[in-house]
Amino acid sequence: MDSQQAPWQQKIYRDTHGRGMRRPTFGSRLPRYRTRCGSFDDLFARQIRRLYLAWPELVGPVQFAVEDVPVSEPTPWDEADGMFSRSFPPSRGIPARIILYRMPIQERCRNNYEVTYAIREELALRLSDLYGRAPEDIDPSCAF
């Protein structure tokens, strides 16, 4: 009866050469499984967590997001300095938001260490824009 069933209906089905069960060639925790986008998101979340531990009252009410690239045609009232990140102050019930642009930051940096420091600097810069403080007050480890 099992030989008459389709392979996907059988309990165990073998690979194309009949040598064993199908399974992934690498695990989800191995570096090859990680994409550039996924590793950027992890670095971004790690920096937000680090800043939240230092400044929970500043970081808590802010929404964070990552987009691939900035909009191609900004509106006339937008500032021109939004190549790597942008911050939006709270308005009409919408909380403050900070958006980082992944591809410009990754193009500027050569390795994950530089990406980490670029994310750290952009977050400190945008939080300082939102709250009217100096970036050195938000994160003294950044070189501005």
Side-chain angles (χ1 to χ4, degrees):
M1 180 82 179
D2 284 339
S3 62
Q4 295 176 358
Q5 289 181 344
W8 57 86
Q9 292 175 340
Q10 294 176 1
K11 291 182 182 177
I12 299 174
Y13 51 101
R14 303 200 171 266
D15 62 355
T16 56
H17 299 290
R19 294 187 187 121
M21 293 179 56
R22 290 183 182 176
R23 62 180 173 266
T25 56
F26 48 86
S28 62
R29 294 196 176 253
L30 295 176
R32 181 176 172 160
Y33 189 78
R34 300 299 314 189
T35 61
R36 289 184 73 189
C37 182
S39 63
F40 186 88
D41 291 343
D42 287 344
L43 294 172
F44 183 62
R46 194 174 301 145
Q47 292 305 316
I48 292 172
R49 235 178 280 126
R50 186 183 67 81
L51 284 172
Y52 182 78
L53 292 174
W55 298 96
E57 67 278 358
L58 297 182
V59 178
V62 178
Q63 290 181 347
F64 296 93
V66 174
E67 290 186 7
D68 287 336
V69 292
V71 293
S72 59
E73 293 182 19
T75 56
W77 57 84
D78 282 340
E79 300 169 0
D81 65 345
M83 182 169 172
F84 300 116
S85 65
R86 293 198 52 202
S87 60
F88 299 95
S91 65
R92 298 183 192 159
I94 298 173
R97 292 169 289 159
I98 294 177
I99 299 174
L100 259 67
Y101 300 116
R102 180 181 62 84
M103 292 181 78
I105 291 175
Q106 285 181 336
E107 289 295 319
R108 181 177 75 170
C109 303
R110 290 185 299 245
N111 53 33
N112 276 345
Y113 297 114
E114 290 183 7
V115 171
T116 301
Y117 287 117
I119 291 171
R120 179 182 291 182
E121 288 177 0
E122 289 296 323
L123 285 175
L125 184 68
R126 294 306 168 185
L127 280 171
S128 68
D129 285 346
L130 286 175
Y131 292 107
R133 298 184 179 199
E136 297 84 17
D137 295 342
I138 302 288
D139 192 357
S141 65
C142 292
F144 293 100

